[in-house]
Amino acid sequence: MRHYVVALPVVFQRAVKKLIPAERYFDDPIATLAYGTDASFYRLLPKLVLRVESEAEVVALLQLANKYNVAITFRAAGTSLSGQAVTDSVLLVLGENWQQREVRGLGEQIRLQPGVIGAAANSVLSKFQRKIGPDPASINSCKIGGIVANNASGMCCGTAQNSFNTLAAMRLVLFDGTVLDTEDSDSVAAFRQSHASLLADLALLAGQTRQDEQLCTKIRHKYRLKNTTGFSLNALTEFTDPIDILTHLMVGSEGCLGFISAVTYNTVPEYPHRASGLLVFPSVASCCQAVAVLKPLPVSAVELLDRRSLRSVEHKAAMPAWIKQVSDNACALLIESTAATDQALQRQLTALRAVVAGFTLEQQVDFSTDPGVYNQLWAIRKGTFPAVGAVRQTGTTVIIEDITFPLLQLADGVARLQQLFAKYEYNEAIIFGHALEGNLHFVFTQGFDDPAEVARYDNFMQDVAHLVAVEFGGSLKAEHGTGRNMAPFVELEWGSDAYQLMWRIKKLLDPKHILNPDVVLSHNPQLHLQNLKPLPATDPLVDKCIECGFCEPVCPSRNLTLTPRQRIVTQREISRLRQTGNDAKRLKALTKSYQYAGNDTCAACGMCSTACPVGINTGDLTRKLRAQNNRRWQGLAAFIARHFGAASTMARFGLRAGQRLVKVLPGWHSAMPGANHTKVTPAESSLTPVIYLASCSSRVMAPQANSQDSRSLMQVCTDLLAKAGYQLIIAEDLANQCCGMPFQSKGQFAAAKLKQHQLEQWLLEVSNVGEIPIFSDSSPCSLTLSGKLDPRLNIIDSVDFLYDQVLPKLVLNKQSGPVALHIPCSASQLGQTRKLQQLLGACTDEMVIPEGISCCGFAGDKGFVLPELNAAALSGLAAQVSKCSRGGSTSRTCEIGLSRHSGIEYQHIVYLLDRCSMAATIKI
């Protein structure tokens, strides 16, 4: 039942427009569609999306919402799996200004704003060998606000280390805009006075609850399990101070009781020594029996994988061959043990091996401290969910459910669950999970475009709910939050008394029912079957997308226009509208808006593929769309490709003119490169020859006008490699060569293929059919050519050549002062992150790698023609490198934008290596 207004009052919208700048106020079709999608299988289109950047804005918006009865939903990363972050009213999305973090002491505590990504918090704590307790699988993309609001846990977290049990303090905003900071004694005192009635009511609820022994027994039982169904009723039984009760009720409240503005965690140890092993049991029963035995032993994670889970990844590269041979009833445990010292770890492993010896096993990978071994084992576990997503039928979605059985009944629970799979013919369903807590995830595919399929899903979920909540007394949501998915089943799990208690809490803290209505608690028994997200086919390049949002933190356009997930969402809706022929006006609006928001401002850098569970590169889709849109330019592209040397000469002319007219040319800035007209001084001919594949940017662009080192990149590479005994050979006709990337990025595939073919023939000739190695000085070019040319050609990227061939032959004198390192998206995808760090580490002891910048957004020429993309991608750069004197990278165009937006000069890392080794001698 709705208590809030359906249409947004005009007076509310006017007030909001005065509060929120136009660039953060979205009510257009493409933005509301893009933000109407989270990682769940639900979709609601918000009437208004607001990107909020301060607590003051949240306070004012809540006051307006309260005044005009407008429903508000909060959203952090949108990785929620149960529909917590979608709404048909007003959606408040965290902007980039919620990143503050403060480490206390030696990492024993950390205070975090809700926009901090979980992995970033752990990165700050890593030097103290500490971490936050929650460790959800989405930790590289989910944010603290969502982690706390859902009481998310994970593989190692259990119940002892979740947000509820590691919470030290909280800053929160109530429905009426009141702010409470429990670390501020003045704030607490003022709140006790201003909200004395609320605190008294909470204390009364807690007292009544503790007096109800039957209810208390149920609450204690539910929270011995992993449980996020409903509100955190254990706040009423574990605390007596109503301030503590309030803050712990906020944990797991999913935005239904208030806004979490900051949290302080008590952190937990992150032990440096680890070992993992895999045990395959002949049956689920024996596997679960082993779990009960392992429970009191020194294990940090015990992950259960049923036979179907193993089968889903058995064909993956690097998987053990024996996985295919295990029996149909087999069930595996992936076990990890960690310790502060190697000696302690070995003692733990001795104890574990003694216990394991008492079980009959089909297969076993003994406990290993070798990263190559345990990373392969964890690849099995982490690959199961995406493996199901990758093979699902187009148009269906992947559903991952999240339940808990009491540990002693785990085997029976798994068996009964498998019977339900068979009954409803979910033959692809797999089971895996955190066995120590009896917490299982089951994954299956489901279509919602057929009423019969919706009915099948409903009947299945009704049976699952009865099985877990009633027959086994378990939890229907262990760690994913209640959401819209389980809201209709909260009373079934908890019973009438506990359910009514939750409604009393809701009424106290949200009397107008405007905070994320229908999430956690709902009077609608069909809620889980409504607003189901369509997933129509749009393009084979992206049809396997499960809309999880893991790609978003690495996307350079995420703060400007759309993310990869949102691009796919929009393309799916465009495809649906075209297929159905419905709503031509909406189709036109989406198509028109997508040109800039989806196509033009996509860097097509491919970083999304590195974070995607199923490896989707949304840039491939962008290039394909550009190819369709840019057919009229094919002739021009072919002409430029055939006359590339002349085009390069014109580019030099333009750069030279720009430097002369710098004061009058709009968009020209001090970081713009000069024109490279320098002649490279060759090294001695007695040195080992290496063909120099200089990128077109290296050949055309000189350093910026006020550069610390005005030599061209080609000259510096020649000088440095000579010190290591190599002669870079600049072969005739280099000026006409190109890797094809400038054409490929614009969808001009024919021209790109032409240039790559020409380059291949030229390299075969000048390298004597691959006899002489080839040095590529630009990471983007190296990535573009990877796997494209004749395998006889030995093309070595500069990072690999410098690390493997040059660095061992140099003596380096480290420079003082911090130096910034930008790892280009191309270098990251080439797997060169570690080498780049070690190259810079050889030159300085103070390396700064800015957080949150996976791609600079310069994207070839977009830094020139769409500078706002580069500016948005690097918006947080300057503050992070303010103490640095210079920066290093491996892409000339990236360095232009990096220099402009950082205030320091970025140059290829060879400049720093050459500077530090100027007085060095070759090691004999």
Side-chain angles (χ1 to χ4, degrees), residues 61-80:
L61 288 167
L62 283 174
Q63 289 171 341
L64 287 172
N66 186 47
K67 180 178 180 179
Y68 296 109
N69 280 7
V70 173
I72 295 285
T73 292
F74 309 112
R75 178 176 175 138
T79 56
S80 305

Side-chain angles (χ1 to χ4, degrees), residues 411-449:
D412 290 340
V414 171
R416 292 287 302 280
L417 194 55
Q418 290 175 330
Q419 290 172 14
L420 288 181
F421 293 157
K423 176 180 177 181
Y424 290 100
E425 298 183 352
Y426 288 111
N427 299 318
E428 77 292 350
I430 65 172
I431 299 174
F432 58 87
H434 319 317
L436 283 181
E437 307 297 332
N439 174 200
L440 299 177
H441 301 309
F442 57 94
V443 180
F444 60 101
T445 62
Q446 175 69 55
F448 289 123
D449 54 354

Side-chain angles (χ1 to χ4, degrees), residues 17 25 98 153 212 260 273 308 312 340 363 764 781 856 860 902:
K17 285 183 177 180
Y25 182 107
W98 299 88
S153 46
D212 188 333
I260 299 169
H273 298 275
R308 286 177 175 173
S312 72
Q363 290 284 349
L764 284 170
C781 296
C856 71
S902 67

Side-chain angles (χ1 to χ4, degrees), residues 210-221:
R210 288 193 294 271
Q211 290 173 8
D212 188 333
E213 185 55 38
Q214 186 175 1
L215 180 56
C216 281
T217 299
K218 183 154 202 168
I219 292 172
R220 285 192 293 269
H221 164 72

Side-chain angles (χ1 to χ4, degrees), residues 614-795:
V614 292
I616 293 170
N617 185 342
T618 312
D620 290 339
L621 175 64
T622 296
R623 283 183 284 269
K624 185 174 180 179
L625 293 173
R626 288 172 182 169
Q628 296 169 0
N629 294 340
N630 297 338
R631 287 172 181 162
R632 64 185 182 278
W633 301 110
Q634 288 177 354
L636 177 61
F639 179 84
I640 294 173
R642 289 193 299 269
H643 301 85
F644 198 77
S648 298
T649 300
M650 292 179 63
R652 287 192 193 90
F653 176 80
L655 290 173
R656 183 171 56 185
Q659 291 291 3
R660 292 177 177 176
L661 301 173
V662 61
K663 293 183 179 180
V664 297
L665 279 180
W668 204 273
H669 49 83
S670 60
M672 291 290 281
N676 181 17
H677 291 289
T678 59
K679 297 281 188 179
V680 176
T681 303
E684 302 176 29
S685 60
S686 60
L687 304 179
T688 303
V690 177
I691 300 298
Y692 191 179
L693 177 57
S695 68
C696 51
S697 60
S698 305
R699 303 193 304 262
V700 170
M701 298 177 186
Q704 62 191 53
N706 59 348
S707 175
Q708 299 178 60
D709 190 334
S710 60
R711 292 176 297 165
S712 70
L713 175 60
M714 296 175 69
Q715 184 65 63
V716 179
C717 287
T718 300
D719 294 345
L720 177 64
L721 266 65
K723 295 177 185 179
Y726 297 101
Q727 179 191 15
L728 277 179
I729 298 173
I730 301 177
E732 186 178 352
D733 204 32
L734 173 62
N736 284 311
Q737 306 308 316
C738 175
C739 69
M741 184 181 62
F743 303 98
Q744 182 175 295
S745 65
K746 296 174 177 58
Q748 297 295 347
F749 301 132
K753 190 173 182 179
L754 171 64
K755 293 309 298 178
Q756 287 172 2
H757 176 72
Q758 291 176 347
L759 177 63
E760 178 181 64
Q761 297 305 307
W762 180 77
L763 287 174
L764 284 170
E765 179 182 349
V766 299
S767 70
N768 195 17
V769 196
E771 181 180 331
I772 305 174
I774 300 158
F775 177 87
S776 170
D777 69 1
S778 174
S779 295
C781 296
S782 300
L783 180 64
T784 300
L785 294 174
S786 180
K788 299 271 182 71
L789 303 188
D790 191 311
R792 292 175 294 179
L793 293 172
N794 183 20
I795 301 175

Side-chain angles (χ1 to χ4, degrees), residues 217-351:
T217 299
K218 183 154 202 168
I219 292 172
R220 285 192 293 269
H221 164 72
K222 299 298 279 185
Y223 291 106
R224 277 194 292 267
L225 308 174
K226 285 179 78 170
N227 176 28
T228 59
T229 307
F231 294 134
S232 301
L233 294 184
N234 48 341
L236 302 175
T237 58
E238 296 185 24
F239 300 95
T240 55
D241 186 331
I243 295 288
D244 290 330
I245 293 171
L246 174 59
T247 57
H248 285 82
L249 280 172
M250 293 291 290
V251 177
S253 64
E254 303 178 33
C256 298
L257 302 179
F259 176 79
I260 299 169
S261 188
V263 293
T264 302
Y265 276 115
N266 292 318
T267 64
V268 301
E270 172 69 308
Y271 294 124
H273 298 275
R274 60 181 291 202
S276 296
L278 184 70
L279 314 179
V280 181
F281 297 82
S283 68
V284 170
S286 60
C287 183
C288 294
Q289 182 184 357
V291 173
V293 175
L294 289 167
K295 177 74 172 176
L297 296 180
V299 289
S300 57
V302 177
E303 293 292 294
L304 180 147
L305 300 101
D306 73 349
R307 180 63 184 97
R308 286 177 175 173
S309 293
L310 297 175
R311 189 173 289 121
S312 72
V313 295
E314 65 184 19
H315 297 291
K316 297 282 186 179
M319 292 297 166
W322 53 257
I323 289 183
K324 297 179 182 179
Q325 276 75 54
V326 298
S327 67
D328 289 342
N329 296 318
C331 192
L333 293 180
L334 175 56
I335 304 170
E336 180 172 274
S337 185
T338 60
T341 66
D342 182 60
Q343 294 84 351
L345 179 61
Q346 294 305 322
R347 289 194 297 271
Q348 293 172 190
L349 295 181
T350 298

Side-chain angles (χ1 to χ4, degrees), residues 128 153 175 188 215 270 353 377 382-383 419 423 454-455 475 488 571 588 592 646 697 702 778 820 858 916:
F128 303 104
S153 46
F175 77 98
V188 173
L215 180 56
E270 172 69 308
R353 288 184 178 112
L377 295 181
K382 294 176 181 179
Q419 290 172 14
K423 176 180 177 181
V454 175
S475 169
Q571 280 300 310
K588 182 178 180 180
K592 181 179 179 180
S697 60
S778 174
F858 206 90
C916 293

